[in-house]
Every structure is written in C-alpha cells, then in structure tokens.
C-alpha cells in the first residue's frame, strides 16, 4: 500500500492530498477496503461483460443464418470453429 501511495505521489496523482494526509489515507484504505466486496464486484463486472459479448455473438450468428448466410466459412468468420459451425448447420 505504501508503494502505491508513493507511486501516486511520484506520478502527480492526488499528490497534494497524499502529501498532506498520507497516514489518514493509508488508515482509511486499511480499515475501509473490503476485499470480498471488491472481488464480488470484479466478478460481477466480468460476468456481465462476458454475457453481453456472448449474446451479441449469438445474435450475429443467428442473423447470418436467417439471412441465408449459413455456410461454414461465414460462421467461422463470426468466431465459431469449423466443427461447431457444422453442428449449427446440421441442427438447422
């Protein structure tokens, strides 16, 4: 934590505040930081991002299939490997 505060001071990030209140900032970070809450929020953010990206990919693929662009090459261009693309086409 001390290294992080020093880094911020060296790179002029909240430098004035950290120089004046270094010990208070350190104490606040030590007493207020909730590692479990932080980890949960990071997981949630990653989960939501992955869900959105996956949903968008699926919608692109379905759109391509509905337009009749259902060749293995076009599905692989959308991110599917050849085997999965073939399986998608066989289920159609």
């Amino acid at each position: 934590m001390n290294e992080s505060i020093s880094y911020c001071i060296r790179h002029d990030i909240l430098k004035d505040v950290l120089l004046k209140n270094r010990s208070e900032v350190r104490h606040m970070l030590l007493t207020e930081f909730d590692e479990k809450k932080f980890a949960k929020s990071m997981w949630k953010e990653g989960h939501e991002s992955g869900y959105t990206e996956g949903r968008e990919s699926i919608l692109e693929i379905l759109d391509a299939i509905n337009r009749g662009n259902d060749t293995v090459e076009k599905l692989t261009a959308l991110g599917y490997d050849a085997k999965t693309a073939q399986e998608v086409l066989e289920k159609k």
Side-chain angles (χ1 to χ4, degrees), residues 16-69:
D16 296 336
V17 173
L18 292 173
L19 287 173
K20 264 183 16 184
N21 304 305
R22 183 183 190 125
S23 62
E24 289 86 352
V25 170
R26 186 176 180 280
H27 177 71
M28 180 190 70
L29 290 171
L30 287 171
T31 58
E32 298 293 325
F33 182 73
D34 184 338
E35 186 176 353
K36 288 181 182 178
K37 187 176 181 179
F38 175 75
K40 185 177 180 179
S41 70
M42 294 306 295
W43 178 88
K44 185 177 179 183
E45 182 180 313
H47 177 76
E48 289 171 355
S49 175
Y51 175 82
T52 300
E53 290 174 18
R55 185 175 183 277
E56 289 171 0
S57 294
I58 290 169
L59 291 174
E60 287 176 9
I61 291 164
L62 290 173
D63 185 50
I65 291 170
N66 287 334
R67 288 187 315 227
N69 299 333

Side-chain angles (χ1 to χ4, degrees), residues 71-82:
T71 64
V72 172
E73 293 80 14
K74 290 193 181 192
L75 290 174
T76 55
L78 291 170
Y80 272 91
D81 59 66

